[in-house]
Amino acid sequence: MIGSGIVGASAAYHLAKKQVEVVLVDKQHEGNATAAGAGIVCPWISRVEDENHYELAKRGAIYYPDLIAQLEADGEVNVGYKKVGALSVSSDKKLLDDVEERVRQKRKSSPEAGDIERLTGEEAQALFPPLNPELEAVYITGAARVDGRLMRASLKRAAEKHGAKCINGEATLTQQKDRVTGIEVNGEVIKADKLVVAAGAWVNSLLTPIGVQVNIEPQRGQIAHMTLSHTDTSSWPVVLPHTSHYMLAFDDSRVVAGATRETGAGFDYRLTPGGISEVLDHALDVAPGLEDSTLKEVRIGFRPMGPDRLPLVGSITNQENIIMANGLGASGLTMGPYVGKIAASLANDESVSFDLSPYDPMRAITIQEKV
């Protein structure tokens, strides 16, 4: 198992629970998307119109309560997940009409979306006090938020309880007659029948040496964390304006606002004035009550972006013992645990309950022919 972000940690956990021998290896790169990201679990409001993207995001959202129950049974209670609802906010009534209609249609086949309510600006502000009272909202009770760091740590600990071994280090693939047979890490060779590659934006540093090039690039995101002294933010809903930005709150009086989407920045691990300004300007426009909060930190993450919005999940044609789980982009914490579960099933030669062909990784892979 290469990569211990939300996908890799989930895959390790699900395999270890089935008494499969698991070794989870991670280089702990700066800018790991799971550690930096803010987890919004609300596919029903998404403006992404791709049916296959919605299907996987919906399944990811629906799976969370089951996963939380499994982790609790393994003694993991500090998982960072909570159902808090979401506010889709705007000053444009027609736009909110469209949102409400779209969510009501989706709720017919996905009752997990919860109750749907139209709120005035004052009613929305009562749920998220810093909010601009001029913004009305569509409120959806089924949405949740998740702290990626806590969730990943819980999955890794639970995997270890079931026998998984975790190693910090940079893995290289070992081959015999052009077939990958395992990895070498910290001078140790580890043989593997199957290899789950969940290396995120760093996937090509692993696969290029064996002639596999994946159309994945890092997209830098800068995300601000603010605190409000002596304020209970634990039940505040997620706030989703009609931009690529968002806000959500956690139990420790913390509000998170994000995020930039900087394609072409590469692995440039820097905070930039332009990025910080973009995030804070959007946040204060939507929630001016945050103006006097304390800016605690700005995190940087590199989202693994594929050629389209769909994840890459499945095996590689010339290396069928390698299972790819990558390309989740900005939806990593929504889909990640469920995609990890799928990857675990594929690695264990189990059937998957729905059609994975739209997510075939070969649409984004070039195999270099040997001369």
Side-chain angles (χ1 to χ4, degrees):
M1 186 83 57
I2 309 298
S4 67
I6 196 76
V7 177
S10 173
Y13 173 61
H14 286 93
L15 283 168
K17 281 192 69 175
K18 296 172 182 175
Q19 286 76 54
V20 176
E21 185 178 357
V22 175
V23 178
L24 179 61
V25 180
D26 198 301
K27 178 66 169 62
Q28 303 294 321
H29 292 283
E30 283 189 322
N32 177 280
T34 295
I40 298 169
V41 186
C42 185
W44 308 284
I45 287 181
S46 174
R47 291 177 293 132
V48 178
E49 296 298 333
D50 189 296
E51 181 179 325
N52 293 310
H53 184 278
Y54 172 68
E55 180 64 25
L56 198 53
K58 180 184 72 173
R59 287 173 176 267
I62 292 171
Y63 182 59
Y64 257 109
D66 183 11
L67 176 63
I68 301 307
Q70 294 178 57
L71 289 170
E72 287 180 351
D74 285 321
E76 295 295 331
V77 294
N78 187 24
V79 296
Y81 174 89
K82 188 173 183 179
K83 191 172 288 188
V84 292
L87 295 169
S88 176
V89 300
S90 178
S91 58
D92 186 334
K93 289 182 170 57
K94 176 60 169 63
L95 193 151
L96 290 176
D97 289 342
D98 294 342
V99 170
E100 183 177 0
E101 175 61 23
R102 184 166 69 246
V103 175
R104 289 192 184 280
Q105 288 298 320
K106 289 179 177 178
R107 190 183 183 280
K108 291 178 181 179
S109 60
S110 183
E112 296 84 2
D115 297 330
I116 303 163
E117 187 178 356
R118 191 66 170 262
L119 301 182
T120 66
E122 290 75 13
E123 290 169 333
Q125 190 184 47
L127 296 176
F128 194 97
L131 196 66
N132 186 335
E134 295 181 4
L135 297 176
E136 298 183 10
V138 175
Y139 179 46
I140 302 168
T141 63
R145 47 84 168 159
V146 60
D147 184 315
R149 292 183 177 186
L150 292 178
M151 178 59 68
R152 177 180 62 180
S154 294
L155 287 165
K156 287 179 67 177
R157 284 193 301 267
E160 289 179 298
K161 290 174 184 177
H162 287 281
K165 180 181 179 181
C166 296
I167 299 175
N168 291 330
E170 186 165 10
T172 57
L173 302 180
T174 58
Q175 288 184 283
Q176 185 175 0
K177 295 181 179 179
D178 295 332
R179 177 181 172 84
V180 171
T181 56
I183 61 170
E184 181 176 349
V185 58
N186 300 335
E188 178 185 4
V189 174
I190 301 171
K191 293 188 178 298
D193 296 319
K194 295 288 179 70
L195 193 67
V196 176
V197 175
W202 293 269
V203 64
N204 281 308
S205 64
L206 180 73
L207 296 182
T208 297
I210 65 166
V212 175
Q213 185 72 29
V214 188
N215 187 1
I216 288 282
E217 65 172 321
Q219 183 192 70
R220 184 171 63 189
Q222 300 182 55
I223 179 169
H225 291 244
M226 297 161 275
T227 57
L228 292 162
S229 299
H230 310 296
T231 303
D232 181 3
T233 59
S234 61
S235 297
W236 288 9
V238 173
V239 175
L240 299 169
H242 291 272
T243 66
S244 61
H245 290 258
Y246 52 80
M247 270 179 288
L248 63 161
F250 290 94
D251 292 349
D252 51 356
S253 301
R254 178 166 48 105
V255 176
V256 177
T260 61
R261 300 193 180 208
E262 301 171 68
T263 302
F267 290 105
D268 188 358
Y269 190 80
R270 290 186 305 122
L271 299 177
T272 65
I276 296 170
S277 175
E278 177 188 332
V279 170
L280 294 180
D281 286 350
H282 277 81
L284 295 179
D285 184 53
V286 172
L290 293 173
E291 187 174 35
D292 196 42
S293 64
T294 300
L295 180 61
K296 296 293 288 186
E297 64 173 319
V298 180
R299 295 180 186 174
I300 299 171
F302 298 109
R303 307 178 187 94
M305 305 298 294
D308 49 44
R309 293 182 180 272
L310 298 182
L312 313 178
V313 186
S315 59
I316 299 174
T317 296
N318 70 331
Q319 298 283 354
E320 292 188 354
N321 62 331
I322 297 180
I323 308 301
M324 173 80 68
N326 209 320
L328 277 65
S331 300
L333 290 174
T334 299
M335 300 178 177
Y338 187 70
V339 170
K341 179 178 183 291
I342 292 172
S345 295
L346 295 175
N348 206 30
D349 296 321
E350 298 169 355
S351 61
V352 176
S353 61
F354 73 108
D355 180 17
L356 289 179
S357 60
Y359 317 101
D360 186 349
M362 293 309 299
R363 74 184 193 281
I365 287 177
T366 300
I367 297 175
Q368 299 173 355
E369 299 292 338
K370 293 195 173 182
V371 179

